Amino acid sequence: MAASTRAQVISLYRMMLTESKKFPSYNYRTYALRRVRDAFRANGKVEDPKTVERLMEEGHQTLAVIQRQVTVGKMFSTQKNVVEG
């Protein structure tokens, strides 16, 4: 993997983690963080440039979904549960 591609992947990973941490609900937040980490670990050994490009596109789409869901979650936030308190 080229250095610039590696930097882009790391940047996407950090953005996805940052956005996932913004979920107001503890359950959604931990689920999103776990899914992001697991997906990047599962695809950590991919070397094919076309596959990396496809995974990056999927990652950007997932980031957009996370951002939308965080916004919706903030609009309809509820009381905090015991774990969050």
Side-chain angles (χ1 to χ4, degrees):
M1 184 180 329
S4 64
T5 304
R6 181 173 171 77
Q8 290 174 345
V9 169
I10 292 171
S11 174
L12 177 62
Y13 178 68
R14 288 182 179 158
M15 286 190 304
M16 290 178 80
L17 287 179
T18 301
E19 287 300 316
S20 295
K21 290 177 184 176
K22 293 180 183 178
F23 274 107
S25 170
Y26 172 80
N27 292 329
Y28 288 125
R29 186 170 50 248
T30 55
Y31 175 76
L33 288 169
R34 187 175 61 243
R35 286 292 306 259
V36 169
R37 288 183 183 125
D38 290 347
F40 275 83
R41 282 187 191 129
N43 295 306
K45 303 289 184 195
V46 175
E47 294 290 331
D48 181 40
K50 289 182 180 181
T51 306
V52 171
E53 186 177 332
R54 181 182 53 81
L55 290 170
M56 285 288 291
E57 188 60 38
E58 287 178 20
H60 284 290
Q61 291 173 356
T62 303
L63 177 62
V65 168
I66 291 171
Q67 290 170 335
R68 284 193 303 271
Q69 288 304 115
V70 166
T71 302
V72 170
K74 287 181 180 178
M75 289 174 19
F76 300 103
S77 63
T78 60
Q79 293 178 342
K80 292 186 176 188
N81 61 22
V82 175
V83 177
E84 296 174 304

Coordinates of all heavy atoms in Angstrom, one line a residue:
M1 N 0.9 -1.2 0.0 CA 0.0 0.0 0.0 C 0.9 1.2 0.0 O 1.9 1.3 0.8 CB -0.9 0.0 1.2 CG -1.9 1.1 1.3 SD -3.0 1.1 2.8 CE -3.2 -0.5 3.3
A2 N 0.6 2.2 -0.9 CA 1.4 3.4 -1.0 C 1.2 4.2 0.3 O 0.2 4.1 1.0 CB 1.0 4.2 -2.2
A3 N 2.2 5.1 0.5 CA 2.2 5.9 1.8 C 1.0 6.8 1.8 O 0.4 7.0 2.8 CB 3.5 6.7 1.9
S4 N 0.7 7.4 0.6 CA -0.5 8.3 0.6 C -1.8 7.6 0.9 O -2.6 8.1 1.5 CB -0.5 9.1 -0.7 OG -0.7 8.2 -1.8
T5 N -1.9 6.4 0.3 CA -3.1 5.6 0.5 C -3.2 5.2 2.0 O -4.3 5.3 2.6 CB -3.1 4.3 -0.4 OG1 -2.9 4.7 -1.7 CG2 -4.4 3.5 -0.2
R6 N -2.1 4.8 2.6 CA -2.0 4.5 4.0 C -2.5 5.6 4.9 O -3.3 5.5 5.8 CB -0.6 4.0 4.4 CG -0.5 3.6 5.8 CD 0.9 3.0 6.1 NE 1.1 2.8 7.5 CZ 0.6 1.8 8.2 NH1 -0.2 0.9 7.6 NH2 0.8 1.6 9.5
A7 N -2.0 6.8 4.5 CA -2.4 8.0 5.3 C -3.9 8.3 5.1 O -4.6 8.7 6.1 CB -1.6 9.2 4.8
Q8 N -4.5 8.0 3.9 CA -5.9 8.2 3.7 C -6.7 7.2 4.5 O -7.7 7.6 5.1 CB -6.2 8.1 2.2 CG -5.7 9.2 1.4 CD -5.9 9.0 -0.1 OE1 -6.2 7.9 -0.5 NE2 -5.8 10.0 -0.9
V9 N -6.2 6.0 4.6 CA -6.9 5.0 5.3 C -6.9 5.3 6.8 O -8.0 5.3 7.5 CB -6.3 3.6 5.1 CG1 -6.9 2.5 6.1 CG2 -6.5 3.1 3.7
I10 N -5.8 5.7 7.3 CA -5.7 6.1 8.7 C -6.6 7.3 9.0 O -7.2 7.4 10.1 CB -4.2 6.4 9.1 CG1 -3.5 5.0 9.1 CG2 -4.1 7.0 10.5 CD1 -2.0 5.2 9.2
S11 N -6.6 8.3 8.1 CA -7.4 9.5 8.3 C -8.9 9.1 8.3 O -9.7 9.6 9.2 CB -7.2 10.4 7.1 OG -8.1 11.5 7.2
L12 N -9.3 8.2 7.4 CA -10.7 7.7 7.4 C -11.1 7.0 8.7 O -12.1 7.2 9.3 CB -11.0 6.8 6.2 CG -12.4 6.2 6.1 CD1 -13.4 7.3 5.9 CD2 -12.4 5.2 4.9
Y13 N -10.1 6.2 9.2 CA -10.3 5.4 10.4 C -10.5 6.4 11.6 O -11.5 6.2 12.4 CB -9.1 4.5 10.6 CG -9.2 3.7 11.9 CD1 -10.1 2.7 12.1 CD2 -8.3 4.0 12.9 CE1 -10.1 2.0 13.3 CE2 -8.3 3.3 14.1 CZ -9.2 2.2 14.3 OH -9.2 1.5 15.4
R14 N -9.7 7.4 11.7 CA -9.8 8.4 12.8 C -11.1 9.2 12.7 O -11.8 9.4 13.7 CB -8.6 9.3 12.7 CG -7.4 8.6 13.2 CD -6.2 9.6 13.2 NE -5.0 8.9 13.7 CZ -3.8 9.3 13.5 NH1 -3.6 10.5 12.8 NH2 -2.8 8.7 13.9
M15 N -11.5 9.5 11.5 CA -12.8 10.3 11.3 C -14.0 9.4 11.7 O -14.9 9.9 12.4 CB -12.9 10.8 9.8 CG -12.1 11.9 9.5 SD -12.5 12.7 7.9 CE -12.4 11.3 6.8
M16 N -13.9 8.1 11.3 CA -15.0 7.3 11.7 C -15.1 7.0 13.2 O -16.2 7.0 13.8 CB -14.9 5.9 10.9 CG -15.2 6.1 9.5 SD -14.9 4.5 8.6 CE -16.5 3.7 8.9
L17 N -14.0 6.9 13.9 CA -14.0 6.8 15.3 C -14.5 8.0 16.0 O -15.3 8.0 16.9 CB -12.6 6.4 15.8 CG -12.0 5.0 15.5 CD1 -10.6 4.9 16.1 CD2 -12.9 4.0 16.1
T18 N -14.0 9.2 15.5 CA -14.4 10.5 16.1 C -15.9 10.6 15.9 O -16.6 11.0 16.9 CB -13.7 11.6 15.4 OG1 -12.3 11.4 15.5 CG2 -14.1 12.9 16.0
E19 N -16.5 10.4 14.8 CA -17.9 10.5 14.6 C -18.7 9.5 15.4 O -19.8 9.8 15.9 CB -18.3 10.4 13.1 CG -17.9 11.5 12.2 CD -18.5 12.8 12.7 OE1 -19.7 12.8 12.9 OE2 -17.8 13.8 12.7
S20 N -18.2 8.3 15.5 CA -18.9 7.2 16.3 C -18.9 7.6 17.8 O -19.9 7.3 18.5 CB -18.2 5.9 16.1 OG -18.2 5.4 14.8
K21 N -18.0 8.3 18.2 CA -17.9 8.8 19.7 C -19.0 9.8 19.9 O -19.3 10.1 21.1 CB -16.6 9.3 20.0 CG -15.5 8.2 20.1 CD -14.2 8.7 20.4 CE -13.1 7.6 20.4 NZ -11.8 8.1 20.6
K22 N -19.6 10.4 18.9 CA -20.6 11.5 19.1 C -22.0 11.0 19.3 O -22.9 11.7 19.6 CB -20.5 12.4 17.9 CG -19.2 13.2 17.8 CD -19.3 14.1 16.5 CE -18.0 14.8 16.3 NZ -18.0 15.7 15.1
F23 N -22.2 9.6 19.1 CA -23.6 9.1 19.4 C -24.0 9.4 20.8 O -23.3 9.2 21.7 CB -23.6 7.6 19.2 CG -23.8 7.2 17.7 CD1 -22.8 6.6 17.0 CD2 -25.1 7.3 17.2 CE1 -23.0 6.2 15.7 CE2 -25.3 6.9 15.9 CZ -24.2 6.3 15.1
P24 N -25.2 10.0 20.9 CA -25.7 10.3 22.3 C -26.0 9.0 23.1 O -25.9 9.0 24.3 CB -26.9 11.1 22.1 CG -27.3 10.9 20.7 CD -26.1 10.5 19.9
S25 N -26.4 8.0 22.5 CA -26.7 6.7 23.2 C -25.5 5.8 23.3 O -24.8 5.5 22.4 CB -27.8 6.0 22.3 OG -28.0 4.7 22.9
Y26 N -25.3 5.4 24.6 CA -24.2 4.5 24.9 C -24.2 3.2 24.0 O -23.1 2.9 23.5 CB -24.2 4.1 26.4 CG -23.2 3.1 26.8 CD1 -21.9 3.4 27.0 CD2 -23.6 1.7 26.9 CE1 -21.0 2.5 27.4 CE2 -22.7 0.8 27.2 CZ -21.3 1.1 27.5 OH -20.4 0.2 27.8
N27 N -25.3 2.6 23.8 CA -25.4 1.4 23.1 C -25.0 1.6 21.6 O -24.2 0.8 21.0 CB -26.8 0.7 23.2 CG -27.1 0.2 24.6 OD1 -26.2 -0.2 25.3 ND2 -28.4 0.3 24.9
Y28 N -25.5 2.6 21.0 CA -25.2 2.9 19.6 C -23.7 3.3 19.5 O -23.0 2.9 18.5 CB -26.0 4.0 19.0 CG -27.5 3.6 18.8 CD1 -28.5 4.4 19.3 CD2 -27.8 2.6 18.0 CE1 -29.8 4.0 19.1 CE2 -29.1 2.2 17.7 CZ -30.1 2.9 18.3 OH -31.4 2.6 18.1
R29 N -23.2 4.0 20.4 CA -21.8 4.5 20.4 C -20.9 3.3 20.5 O -20.0 3.2 19.6 CB -21.6 5.4 21.6 CG -20.2 6.1 21.6 CD -20.1 7.2 22.6 NE -20.6 6.8 24.0 CZ -21.7 7.3 24.5 NH1 -22.4 8.2 23.9 NH2 -22.0 7.0 25.8
T30 N -21.1 2.4 21.4 CA -20.2 1.3 21.6 C -20.3 0.3 20.4 O -19.3 -0.3 19.9 CB -20.4 0.5 22.9 OG1 -21.8 0.1 22.9 CG2 -20.1 1.3 24.1
Y31 N -21.5 0.2 19.8 CA -21.7 -0.7 18.7 C -21.0 -0.1 17.5 O -20.2 -0.8 16.8 CB -23.2 -0.8 18.4 CG -23.5 -1.6 17.1 CD1 -23.4 -3.0 17.0 CD2 -23.9 -0.9 15.9 CE1 -23.6 -3.7 15.9 CE2 -24.1 -1.6 14.8 CZ -24.0 -3.0 14.7 OH -24.3 -3.6 13.6
A32 N -21.1 1.2 17.2 CA -20.4 1.8 16.1 C -18.9 1.7 16.2 O -18.2 1.4 15.2 CB -20.9 3.3 16.0
L33 N -18.4 2.0 17.4 CA -17.0 1.9 17.6 C -16.4 0.5 17.4 O -15.4 0.3 16.7 CB -16.6 2.3 19.0 CG -16.7 3.8 19.3 CD1 -16.6 4.1 20.8 CD2 -15.7 4.6 18.5
R34 N -17.2 -0.5 17.9 CA -16.8 -1.9 17.7 C -16.8 -2.3 16.2 O -15.9 -2.9 15.7 CB -17.7 -2.8 18.5 CG -17.2 -4.3 18.5 CD -18.1 -5.1 19.4 NE -19.5 -5.1 19.0 CZ -20.4 -4.7 19.8 NH1 -20.2 -4.1 20.9 NH2 -21.7 -4.7 19.3
R35 N -17.9 -1.9 15.5 CA -18.0 -2.2 14.1 C -16.8 -1.6 13.2 O -16.3 -2.2 12.4 CB -19.3 -1.7 13.5 CG -20.5 -2.5 13.9 CD -20.5 -3.9 13.3 NE -20.4 -3.9 11.8 CZ -21.3 -4.0 11.0 NH1 -22.6 -4.3 11.4 NH2 -21.1 -4.0 9.7
V36 N -16.5 -0.3 13.5 CA -15.5 0.4 12.8 C -14.1 -0.3 13.1 O -13.4 -0.7 12.1 CB -15.4 1.9 13.2 CG1 -14.1 2.5 12.7 CG2 -16.6 2.6 12.7
R37 N -13.8 -0.6 14.3 CA -12.5 -1.3 14.6 C -12.5 -2.7 14.0 O -11.4 -3.0 13.4 CB -12.4 -1.4 16.1 CG -12.1 0.0 16.8 CD -11.9 -0.2 18.3 NE -11.7 1.1 18.9 CZ -12.4 1.6 19.9 NH1 -13.3 0.9 20.4 NH2 -12.1 2.8 20.4
D38 N -13.5 -3.4 14.1 CA -13.5 -4.8 13.5 C -13.4 -4.8 12.0 O -12.7 -5.6 11.5 CB -14.8 -5.5 13.9 CG -14.9 -5.9 15.4 OD1 -13.8 -5.8 16.1 OD2 -16.0 -6.3 15.9
A39 N -14.1 -3.8 11.4 CA -14.0 -3.8 9.9 C -12.5 -3.4 9.4 O -12.0 -4.0 8.5 CB -14.9 -2.7 9.4
F40 N -11.9 -2.5 10.1 CA -10.5 -2.1 9.7 C -9.6 -3.2 10.1 O -8.6 -3.5 9.3 CB -10.1 -0.8 10.4 CG -10.6 0.4 9.6 CD1 -11.9 0.9 9.7 CD2 -9.7 1.0 8.7 CE1 -12.3 2.0 9.0 CE2 -10.1 2.1 8.0 CZ -11.4 2.6 8.1
R41 N -9.8 -3.9 11.2 CA -8.9 -5.1 11.5 C -9.0 -6.2 10.5 O -8.1 -6.8 10.1 CB -9.2 -5.6 12.9 CG -8.6 -4.8 14.0 CD -8.8 -5.4 15.3 NE -8.5 -4.5 16.4 CZ -9.3 -4.2 17.4 NH1 -10.4 -4.8 17.6 NH2 -8.9 -3.3 18.3
A42 N -10.3 -6.4 10.1 CA -10.5 -7.5 9.1 C -9.9 -7.3 7.8 O -9.5 -8.2 7.1 CB -12.0 -7.7 9.0
N43 N -9.8 -6.0 7.4 CA -9.3 -5.7 6.1 C -7.9 -5.1 6.1 O -7.4 -4.5 5.2 CB -10.2 -4.7 5.4 CG -11.5 -5.3 5.1 OD1 -11.6 -6.3 4.5 ND2 -12.6 -4.7 5.6
G44 N -7.2 -5.3 7.3 CA -5.9 -4.7 7.4 C -4.8 -5.3 6.5 O -3.8 -4.6 6.3
K45 N -5.0 -6.5 6.1 CA -4.0 -7.1 5.2 C -4.2 -7.0 3.7 O -3.5 -7.5 2.9 CB -3.9 -8.6 5.6 CG -3.6 -8.9 7.0 CD -2.2 -8.6 7.4 CE -2.0 -9.0 8.8 NZ -0.8 -8.5 9.4
V46 N -5.2 -6.2 3.3 CA -5.6 -6.1 1.9 C -4.5 -5.2 1.2 O -4.1 -4.2 1.7 CB -6.9 -5.4 1.8 CG1 -7.2 -5.1 0.3 CG2 -8.0 -6.3 2.4
E47 N -4.0 -5.7 0.1 CA -2.9 -5.1 -0.6 C -3.3 -4.6 -2.0 O -2.7 -3.7 -2.6 CB -1.7 -6.0 -0.7 CG -1.0 -6.3 0.6 CD -0.3 -5.1 1.2 OE1 0.2 -4.2 0.4 OE2 -0.2 -5.0 2.4
D48 N -4.3 -5.3 -2.6 CA -4.8 -5.0 -3.9 C -5.3 -3.5 -4.0 O -6.2 -3.2 -3.3 CB -5.8 -6.0 -4.4 CG -6.3 -5.7 -5.8 OD1 -5.5 -5.4 -6.6 OD2 -7.5 -5.8 -6.0
P49 N -4.7 -2.7 -4.9 CA -5.2 -1.3 -5.0 C -6.6 -1.1 -5.3 O -7.3 -0.2 -4.8 CB -4.3 -0.7 -6.1 CG -3.1 -1.6 -6.2 CD -3.6 -3.0 -5.8
K50 N -7.2 -2.0 -6.2 CA -8.6 -1.9 -6.5 C -9.5 -2.2 -5.3 O -10.5 -1.5 -5.1 CB -8.9 -2.8 -7.7 CG -8.4 -2.3 -9.0 CD -8.8 -3.2 -10.2 CE -8.1 -2.6 -11.4 NZ -8.5 -3.4 -12.6
T51 N -9.1 -3.2 -4.6 CA -9.9 -3.6 -3.4 C -9.8 -2.5 -2.3 O -10.8 -2.2 -1.7 CB -9.3 -4.9 -2.8 OG1 -9.4 -5.9 -3.8 CG2 -10.2 -5.4 -1.7
V52 N -8.6 -1.9 -2.2 CA -8.4 -0.8 -1.2 C -9.3 0.3 -1.6 O -9.9 1.0 -0.7 CB -6.9 -0.4 -1.1 CG1 -6.8 0.8 -0.3 CG2 -6.1 -1.6 -0.5
E53 N -9.3 0.7 -2.9 CA -10.1 1.8 -3.3 C -11.6 1.5 -3.1 O -12.3 2.4 -2.6 CB -9.9 2.0 -4.8 CG -10.6 3.2 -5.4 CD -10.2 3.5 -6.9 OE1 -9.1 3.1 -7.3 OE2 -11.1 4.0 -7.5
R54 N -12.1 0.3 -3.3 CA -13.5 -0.1 -3.1 C -13.8 0.0 -1.6 O -14.8 0.6 -1.2 CB -13.7 -1.5 -3.6 CG -15.2 -1.9 -3.4 CD -15.4 -3.3 -3.9 NE -14.5 -4.3 -3.3 CZ -14.7 -4.9 -2.1 NH1 -15.7 -4.5 -1.3 NH2 -13.8 -5.7 -1.6
L55 N -12.9 -0.5 -0.8 CA -13.1 -0.4 0.7 C -13.1 1.0 1.2 O -13.9 1.4 2.1 CB -12.0 -1.2 1.4 CG -12.1 -2.7 1.2 CD1 -10.9 -3.4 1.8 CD2 -13.4 -3.3 1.9
M56 N -12.3 1.9 0.6 CA -12.3 3.3 1.0 C -13.6 3.9 0.6 O -14.1 4.7 1.4 CB -11.1 4.0 0.3 CG -9.7 3.7 0.8 SD -9.5 4.5 2.4 CE -9.4 6.2 2.0
E57 N -14.1 3.6 -0.5 CA -15.4 4.2 -0.9 C -16.5 3.7 0.0 O -17.4 4.5 0.4 CB -15.7 3.8 -2.4 CG -17.0 4.4 -2.9 CD -16.8 6.0 -3.0 OE1 -15.7 6.5 -3.3 OE2 -17.8 6.6 -2.7
E58 N -16.5 2.4 0.4 CA -17.5 1.9 1.3 C -17.3 2.6 2.7 O -18.3 2.9 3.4 CB -17.3 0.4 1.5 CG -17.8 -0.4 0.4 CD -17.5 -1.9 0.6 OE1 -17.3 -2.3 1.7 OE2 -17.5 -2.6 -0.4
G59 N -16.1 2.9 3.1 CA -15.8 3.6 4.3 C -16.3 5.0 4.3 O -16.9 5.4 5.3
H60 N -16.2 5.7 3.2 CA -16.7 7.0 3.1 C -18.3 7.0 3.2 O -18.9 7.9 3.8 CB -16.3 7.7 1.9 CG -14.8 8.2 1.9 ND1 -14.4 9.2 2.8 CD2 -13.7 7.8 1.3 CE1 -13.2 9.4 2.6 NE2 -12.7 8.5 1.8
Q61 N -18.9 6.0 2.6 CA -20.3 5.9 2.6 C -20.8 5.6 4.1 O -21.8 6.2 4.5 CB -20.8 4.8 1.7 CG -20.7 5.2 0.2 CD -21.0 4.0 -0.7 OE1 -21.3 2.9 -0.3 NE2 -20.9 4.3 -2.0
T62 N -20.1 4.7 4.7 CA -20.4 4.4 6.1 C -20.2 5.6 7.0 O -21.0 5.8 7.9 CB -19.5 3.2 6.6 OG1 -19.7 2.1 5.7 CG2 -19.8 2.8 8.0
L63 N -19.2 6.4 6.8 CA -19.0 7.6 7.5 C -20.1 8.6 7.4 O -20.6 9.2 8.4 CB -17.7 8.3 7.1 CG -17.3 9.7 7.7 CD1 -17.2 9.5 9.3 CD2 -16.1 10.3 7.1
A64 N -20.6 8.7 6.2 CA -21.8 9.6 5.9 C -23.0 9.0 6.7 O -23.8 9.8 7.3 CB -22.1 9.7 4.4
V65 N -23.2 7.7 6.7 CA -24.3 7.1 7.5 C -24.2 7.4 9.0 O -25.1 7.8 9.6 CB -24.4 5.6 7.2 CG1 -25.4 5.0 8.2 CG2 -24.8 5.3 5.8
I66 N -23.0 7.3 9.5 CA -22.7 7.5 10.9 C -23.0 9.0 11.2 O -23.7 9.3 12.2 CB -21.3 7.2 11.3 CG1 -21.1 5.7 11.2 CG2 -20.9 7.7 12.7 CD1 -19.6 5.3 11.4
Q67 N -22.6 9.9 10.4 CA -22.8 11.3 10.6 C -24.3 11.6 10.6 O -24.8 12.4 11.4 CB -22.1 12.2 9.5 CG -20.6 12.2 9.7 CD -19.9 12.8 8.5 OE1 -20.4 12.8 7.4 NE2 -18.7 13.3 8.8
R68 N -25.1 11.0 9.7 CA -26.5 11.2 9.6 C -27.2 10.7 10.9 O -28.1 11.3 11.5 CB -27.2 10.6 8.4 CG -26.9 11.4 7.1 CD -27.8 10.9 6.0 NE -27.6 9.5 5.7 CZ -26.8 9.0 4.8 NH1 -26.0 9.8 4.1 NH2 -26.7 7.7 4.6
Q69 N -26.8 9.5 11.3 CA -27.4 8.9 12.4 C -27.1 9.6 13.7 O -27.9 9.7 14.6 CB -27.0 7.4 12.6 CG -27.6 6.5 11.5 CD -29.1 6.6 11.5 OE1 -29.7 7.0 10.6 NE2 -29.7 6.1 12.6
V70 N -25.9 10.2 13.8 CA -25.6 11.0 15.0 C -26.5 12.2 15.1 O -27.0 12.5 16.1 CB -24.1 11.4 15.0 CG1 -23.8 12.5 16.0 CG2 -23.2 10.2 15.2
T71 N -26.7 12.8 13.9 CA -27.6 14.0 13.9 C -29.0 13.7 14.3 O -29.6 14.3 15.1 CB -27.6 14.6 12.5 OG1 -26.2 15.0 12.1 CG2 -28.4 15.9 12.4
V72 N -29.5 12.6 13.7 CA -30.9 12.1 14.1 C -30.9 11.7 15.6 O -31.9 12.1 16.3 CB -31.3 10.9 13.2 CG1 -32.6 10.3 13.7 CG2 -31.5 11.4 11.8
G73 N -29.9 11.1 16.1 CA -29.9 10.7 17.5 C -29.9 11.8 18.4 O -30.5 11.8 19.5
K74 N -29.2 12.9 18.0 CA -29.2 14.1 18.9 C -30.6 14.8 18.8 O -30.9 15.4 19.8 CB -28.1 15.1 18.4 CG -26.7 14.6 18.8 CD -25.7 15.6 18.3 CE -24.3 15.0 18.7 NZ -23.2 15.9 18.3
M75 N -31.3 14.7 17.7 CA -32.6 15.4 17.6 C -33.6 14.7 18.5 O -34.5 15.3 19.1 CB -33.1 15.3 16.2 CG -32.3 16.3 15.3 SD -32.7 16.2 13.5 CE -34.3 15.5 13.4
F76 N -33.4 13.4 18.7 CA -34.4 12.6 19.5 C -33.7 11.9 20.7 O -34.0 10.8 21.0 CB -35.0 11.5 18.6 CG -35.8 12.0 17.4 CD1 -35.2 12.0 16.2 CD2 -37.0 12.6 17.6 CE1 -35.9 12.5 15.1 CE2 -37.7 13.1 16.5 CZ -37.1 13.1 15.3
S77 N -32.8 12.6 21.4 CA -32.1 12.1 22.5 C -33.1 11.8 23.7 O -34.1 12.5 23.8 CB -31.0 13.0 22.9 OG -31.5 14.2 23.3
T78 N -32.8 10.8 24.5 CA -33.6 10.5 25.6 C -32.8 10.6 26.9 O -31.6 11.1 26.9 CB -34.1 9.0 25.5 OG1 -32.9 8.2 25.4 CG2 -34.9 8.8 24.2
Q79 N -33.3 10.1 28.0 CA -32.6 10.2 29.2 C -31.4 9.3 29.2 O -31.4 8.3 28.5 CB -33.5 9.8 30.4 CG -34.6 10.7 30.6 CD -35.5 10.1 31.8 OE1 -35.4 9.0 32.1 NE2 -36.3 11.0 32.3
K80 N -30.3 9.7 29.9 CA -29.1 8.9 30.0 C -29.4 7.6 30.9 O -30.1 7.7 31.8 CB -28.0 9.7 30.5 CG -27.5 10.8 29.6 CD -26.3 11.4 30.1 CE -25.8 12.5 29.1 NZ -24.5 13.0 29.5
N81 N -28.8 6.5 30.5 CA -28.9 5.3 31.3 C -27.9 5.3 32.4 O -27.0 6.1 32.5 CB -29.0 4.1 30.4 CG -27.7 3.9 29.7 OD1 -26.7 4.4 30.1 ND2 -27.8 3.1 28.6
V82 N -27.9 4.2 33.2 CA -27.0 4.1 34.3 C -25.5 4.1 33.9 O -24.7 4.7 34.6 CB -27.3 2.8 35.1 CG1 -26.3 2.6 36.2 CG2 -28.7 2.9 35.6
V83 N -25.2 3.5 32.8 CA -23.8 3.4 32.3 C -23.3 4.8 32.0 O -22.1 5.1 32.2 CB -23.7 2.4 31.1 CG1 -22.3 2.4 30.6 CG2 -24.2 1.0 31.5
E84 N -24.1 5.6 31.4 CA -23.7 6.9 30.9 C -23.6 7.9 32.1 O -22.9 8.9 32.0 CB -24.6 7.5 29.9 CG -24.7 6.6 28.6 CD -25.7 7.1 27.7 OE1 -26.9 7.1 28.0 OE2 -25.4 7.4 26.5
G85 N -24.4 7.7 33.1 CA -24.6 8.7 34.2 C -23.4 8.8 35.0 O -22.6 9.7 35.2

